[in-house]
Amino acid sequence: MKKLFLVLAATFICGACLFTSCKKDEEKTNLNLSEKIIGKWVIADINGQPELTNGKMVYTFVSTTQAYVSASLNTHLEVGMLWFNQKETTVAIDGNKMTLTNHPDEHTTCVEEITVTAISGSEFTANRKITMTVDGNEKISPEQNVRLVKTTADYSEAIYGFWRCQGITGGETYNDGNAQLQFLHDGTYKFYRKDDGGQWNLVPRERNEYFVDGNLLCTRWQAAGEEMNYEWWEITSINGNNMQWTALRQNDDGSTFQQGVRWQRAIE
């Protein structure tokens, strides 16, 4: 009888431990994505390294089934440059996995599989795989570990108007010290340069387009007979008549450097 009691007791204890362990594992893997994912998230790191500004993507989850994705980037999947300005995206959540699907154009389907490993009110980490299908041909990106941070920034309207460059750090870009930009409400902008006489002259181009999502500013422009150019910035602040941009760039040797631009609002 004593042996039987000890066997039953051991069985009960082991079972209780197993139940507790399973419960803890379940709690660990159930991250309540549906409750925590709503909001705007920006990619910060990929595979443990800070992401270059030209690789940034912005995800705005408005519900558990719908999101908007913004990005201006080369996917490295042989489909060329992608230009997403709050592209409507369907969302399917299954446990800790999200599947995001959108259609950049009539030929292309983009599917992102994002398996979240941890999430808080300010950031989440995940494993991400992107599959692009172009006219039936499937191209899959390598899986990446990504970290995204939540943001409440919104400079989409504050950027409207004329801005004159006041200084550049970290090296010149297309927007050098002799630059004035006019951001319009329709998603286009104008680029001016000052001549030797001190007059600002509009630089003629076939296309000048931009979008702002959160703090990510993406521009693209094309002169007659030339290829499209792209540039990416993060708006760090717009306070009254002053605006600052920053960007993480990469040198040819793989090293990175930080750039910055200061702007002042101009009245025309």
Side-chain angles (χ1 to χ4, degrees), residues 2-183:
K2 184 176 180 181
K3 288 184 178 180
L4 178 60
F5 174 78
L6 291 175
V7 170
L8 291 175
T11 302
F12 175 78
I13 292 172
C14 291
C17 290
L18 181 61
F19 174 78
T20 303
S21 176
C22 291
K23 185 176 181 181
K24 285 183 178 179
D25 288 342
E26 183 179 349
E27 290 175 350
K28 183 178 179 180
T29 58
N30 184 9
L31 301 178
N32 297 319
L33 280 186
S34 298
E35 299 176 8
K36 299 176 181 178
I37 198 63
I38 304 302
K40 190 180 295 292
W41 305 84
V42 184
I43 289 182
D45 301 332
I46 292 184
N47 293 332
Q49 298 296 320
E51 176 63 335
L52 301 174
T53 301
N54 62 313
K56 297 277 187 176
M57 296 181 68
V58 181
Y59 299 81
T60 305
F61 292 89
V62 296
S63 73
T64 56
T65 59
Q66 186 178 29
Y68 294 88
V69 178
S70 293
S72 167
L73 48 80
N74 189 328
T75 64
H76 304 293
L77 296 178
E78 300 176 0
V79 295
M81 290 293 301
L82 295 180
W83 178 266
F84 287 177
N85 181 9
Q86 295 194 349
K87 186 68 177 180
E88 187 171 0
T89 301
T90 60
V91 180
I93 297 178
D94 182 11
N96 299 330
K97 181 179 178 180
M98 298 186 294
T99 302
L100 281 61
T101 306
N102 62 47
H103 303 278
D105 55 48
E106 64 271 21
H107 302 281
T108 309
T109 299
C110 178
V111 177
E112 290 188 63
E113 296 173 274
I114 301 174
T115 303
V116 179
T117 53
I119 186 169
S120 68
S122 59
E123 67 176 30
F124 76 82
T125 56
N127 178 271
R128 182 182 68 165
K129 182 177 76 172
I130 301 176
T131 303
M132 301 285 292
T133 304
V134 182
D135 292 329
N137 298 313
E138 191 175 84
K139 306 174 187 298
I140 301 176
S141 72
E143 293 188 22
Q144 299 172 319
N145 294 317
V146 297
R147 182 175 70 91
L148 292 89
V149 296
K150 198 170 191 177
T151 181
T152 57
D154 181 6
Y155 296 111
S156 57
E157 295 186 8
I159 200 172
Y160 295 155
F162 286 89
W163 298 91
R164 288 178 183 167
C165 183
Q166 300 298 300
I168 296 175
T169 58
E172 290 191 347
T173 65
Y174 294 109
N175 295 310
D176 58 19
N178 181 15
Q180 176 175 275
L181 303 178
Q182 181 189 10
F183 292 98

